[in-house]
Amino acid sequence: MSKPFLLCVTLLLLCWPLISSGLEIKISSHPAYPPVMFERDGKLFGMTIDIATALFNSLNQPHRFVFSGPWNRVQQRARSGHIDMIAGIYRNKKREKYLLYSIPVLENPDVVFVKTGREFPFQTLEDLIGKKGTTNLGESFGNKIDQFIESKLNVQRVVKNKMNYKLLDLERVDYFLYGLYPGKAQAERLGYGGKIKALKTPLATEHYHFAFSKKSTFKSLLPKVDDFLKHYLTEKRIQSLYEKNLQLYLGNNKSG
């Protein structure tokens, strides 16, 4: 067997993962976190989607945004390698087992939403003990808060985010935990704008990251992703993306 033949075979094997994927990176995100990321008619929109588009266009990297269903399923598909990257996800130890994270992309305060007129004092997590709450299935608020929720709070996980608002409005629960900006945007869109409010003290301030599946053949792009984000993420650009996607989300007549 000739050396040139062996060399060709070796190169083919090394490149096979990229060849089999068609050199196209598959990206997904949270389907209900507007204006940061959201789904309409099976397509993904939002601030992180716009940033990811600019990123991979700058790298001349073919890419495709894939609606993967509920948030918990998005994470499962990244864990299994069925998608290459999640465009916008918080970092915690559980997720670090199967994801490689970029530098922070966007900042988002997580807050306690309550029904207007049923506010209560809130300064620390202990103030939620004895009360009923909800949040979304698969939602994370950082390692410390996640552990506190699991061990000491009565928090129901719901599949569809609109259930948080409905249960709160019906006074079946005392609060729900969610990001400030998507929470306010969806309250307006679902008709709860004046009925629901966020308590002043944040639960925590987290950061969205881009995160590659450890099973993805594209994870080697991470240093280039970080370099792009360092130069792209100016305050003026982020504000422009926020306003654009908030109007896009609120301008759609379908319920969230």
Side-chain angles (χ1 to χ4, degrees):
M1 192 175 293
S2 67
K3 288 184 179 180
F5 178 78
L6 288 173
L7 180 60
C8 289
V9 171
T10 301
L11 290 173
L12 181 61
L13 290 173
L14 288 172
C15 295
W16 176 250
L18 293 176
I19 293 171
S20 62
S21 70
L23 295 176
E24 181 181 67
I25 183 169
K26 295 186 288 295
I27 309 160
S28 196
S29 72
H30 200 306
Y33 230 80
V36 180
M37 40 196 163
F38 58 97
E39 173 267 337
R40 286 290 174 266
D41 299 322
K43 295 182 180 180
L44 295 173
F45 301 91
M47 297 171 70
T48 59
I49 301 303
D50 287 348
I51 295 170
T53 299
L55 161 66
F56 291 113
N57 283 346
S58 75
L59 297 177
N60 293 316
Q61 170 61 56
H63 55 281
R64 176 164 56 97
F65 295 102
V66 182
F67 170 53
S68 300
W71 182 225
N72 207 42
R73 191 182 304 162
V74 175
Q75 296 170 70
Q76 291 172 358
R77 288 176 63 81
R79 188 183 300 114
S80 65
H82 284 91
I83 58 173
D84 297 292
M85 194 188 87
I86 297 178
I89 185 170
Y90 291 169
R91 186 170 191 162
N92 64 32
K93 289 182 179 178
K94 182 178 179 181
R95 293 169 177 172
E96 285 175 352
K97 293 178 181 178
Y98 62 92
L99 293 175
L100 296 170
Y101 285 83
S102 73
I103 63 173
V105 178
L106 297 170
E107 184 179 277
N108 184 50
D110 290 318
V111 297
V112 180
F113 282 98
V114 299
K115 185 173 181 179
T116 302
R118 298 190 74 220
E119 298 89 344
F120 54 83
F122 173 73
Q123 293 296 325
T124 68
L125 288 168
E126 281 76 11
D127 294 325
L128 300 179
I129 294 176
K131 301 182 185 299
K132 290 183 179 180
T134 62
T135 192
N136 293 324
L137 185 67
E139 213 71 71
S140 171
F141 303 96
N143 294 312
K144 183 179 179 181
I145 295 176
D146 289 348
Q147 291 171 10
F148 193 93
I149 290 172
E150 293 301 320
S151 62
K152 296 187 178 182
L153 298 185
N154 180 9
V155 175
Q156 175 187 352
R157 298 276 180 170
V158 300
V159 175
K160 292 190 175 182
N161 187 56
K162 65 176 68 175
M163 286 301 298
N164 290 310
Y165 297 89
K166 186 173 183 179
L167 291 170
L168 195 59
D169 187 45
L170 294 173
E171 301 184 7
R172 304 272 181 86
V173 297
D174 302 299
Y175 66 89
F176 74 84
L177 307 176
Y178 202 39
L180 175 63
Y181 303 125
K184 289 171 66 176
Q186 291 184 67
E188 289 295 330
R189 197 160 185 273
L190 293 170
Y192 295 104
K195 300 179 180 179
I196 288 172
K197 64 186 298 184
L199 297 181
K200 188 173 291 186
T201 302
L203 183 73
T205 298
E206 292 288 343
H207 294 87
Y208 299 108
H209 301 257
F210 289 162
F212 285 92
S213 168
K214 288 186 177 180
K215 294 186 177 181
S216 172
T217 55
F218 294 95
K219 60 189 178 185
S220 61
L221 292 175
L222 187 56
K224 292 183 178 181
V225 170
D226 285 346
D227 186 60
F228 173 87
L229 294 175
K230 289 174 186 176
H231 297 91
Y232 186 80
L233 297 175
T234 64
E235 185 175 342
K236 183 177 180 180
R237 181 171 279 125
I238 290 173
Q239 183 62 31
S240 176
L241 289 173
Y242 174 82
E243 292 171 358
K244 169 199 166 187
N245 284 285
L246 180 62
Q247 292 306 312
L248 177 63
Y249 176 72
L250 294 178
N252 192 302
N253 293 323
K254 297 181 182 180
S255 60

